[in-house]
Amino acid sequence: MSIIEPGDDRTMYQRMLDGDLYIADDPQIGESVAKTQDLQQAYNATTARQGPLRTLILDDLLGSVGADTEFRPPIYVDLGKNITVGARCFTNFNLTALDVAPITIGDDVLIGPNVQLLTPTHPVEPGPRRDKWEAAKPITIHDNVWLGGGVIVCPGVTIGENSVVGAGSVVTKDVPANVVVVGNPARVVREI
């Protein structure tokens, strides 16, 4: 069985953007990642007193960033351009946001240190996985969410408005609005 259907002449980069299986070891994807890593390294090398420079770099690195949003370095992303962030957000140290698929973050979101937003997926079947095929599913974080330190958000997850994800939780499925979730896998422990 072939992963690419006859007549499908899309590049791996286009397959990735379309949310289909692709091989990441592709020159076009590699060049995008290299450009992103250059910007990421420049951002991570800034000092606390270089706010205007940080803003300029973030504008190049990410898809969009709302007003009065702060990212404390270091941050780590795949492509950067697939990340949109609303206004008045705060992201603490060491965010990893693998944005092979879109990552959408609303307004007034708080992200603790060492949070991981992971959109990539890999086939369960050993053959395609060995052949380096992968895909991705988008992550959406609605307004006024708080992700505690060390939270991991898995591919395809949406977190509802005003919800809180407790430190160290692994979010494997959608979280409704106005709840507190904790654990691995994260589960609702109370309503807000």
Side-chain angles (χ1 to χ4, degrees), residues 180-192:
V180 175
V181 298
V182 299
N184 180 5
R187 65 196 180 294
V188 176
V189 293
R190 75 178 183 97
E191 293 185 5
I192 299 174

Side-chain angles (χ1 to χ4, degrees), residues 58-117:
L58 274 183
D59 286 346
D60 282 343
L61 179 62
L62 304 182
S64 67
V65 180
D68 300 318
T69 287
E70 179 182 354
F71 282 82
R72 285 192 174 166
I75 62 173
Y76 303 99
V77 299
D78 269 337
L79 300 169
K81 291 298 183 186
N82 286 334
I83 300 172
T84 59
V85 184
R88 300 171 306 281
C89 295
F90 175 77
T91 300
N92 215 322
F93 304 108
N94 213 34
L95 171 69
T96 298
L98 303 184
D99 63 312
V100 177
I103 296 175
T104 305
I105 300 171
D107 296 332
D108 303 300
V109 172
L110 301 176
I111 298 178
N114 301 308
V115 167
Q116 299 177 51
L117 308 176

Side-chain angles (χ1 to χ4, degrees), residues 8 10 14 24 52 90 95 105 124 148 152 155 161 181:
D8 185 350
R10 294 176 295 163
Q14 189 59 52
F90 175 77
L95 171 69
I105 300 171
V124 173
I152 298 172
E161 184 175 24
V181 298

Side-chain angles (χ1 to χ4, degrees), residues 39-63:
L39 289 167
Q40 172 181 277
Q41 185 174 7
Y43 186 82
N44 291 341
T46 61
T47 69
R49 291 185 177 90
Q50 293 178 303
L53 178 58
R54 283 183 177 176
T55 299
L56 287 173
I57 296 170
L58 274 183
D59 286 346
D60 282 343
L61 179 62
L62 304 182

Side-chain angles (χ1 to χ4, degrees), residues 104-185:
T104 305
I105 300 171
D107 296 332
D108 303 300
V109 172
L110 301 176
I111 298 178
N114 301 308
V115 167
Q116 299 177 51
L117 308 176
L118 310 174
T119 68
T121 65
H122 299 276
V124 173
E125 296 79 19
R129 191 173 64 246
R130 180 179 44 250
D131 294 339
K132 308 300 183 209
W133 288 97
E134 61 183 75
K137 296 179 183 175
I139 291 173
T140 302
I141 300 169
H142 287 282
D143 295 346
N144 202 33
V145 166
W146 174 21
L147 303 179
V151 165
I152 298 172
V153 179
C154 292
V157 166
T158 296
I159 299 176
E161 184 175 24
N162 300 320
S163 287
V164 175
V165 180
S169 296
V170 178
V171 186
T172 60
K173 62 182 182 179
D174 290 352
V175 173
N178 303 303
V179 297
V180 175
V181 298
V182 299
N184 180 5

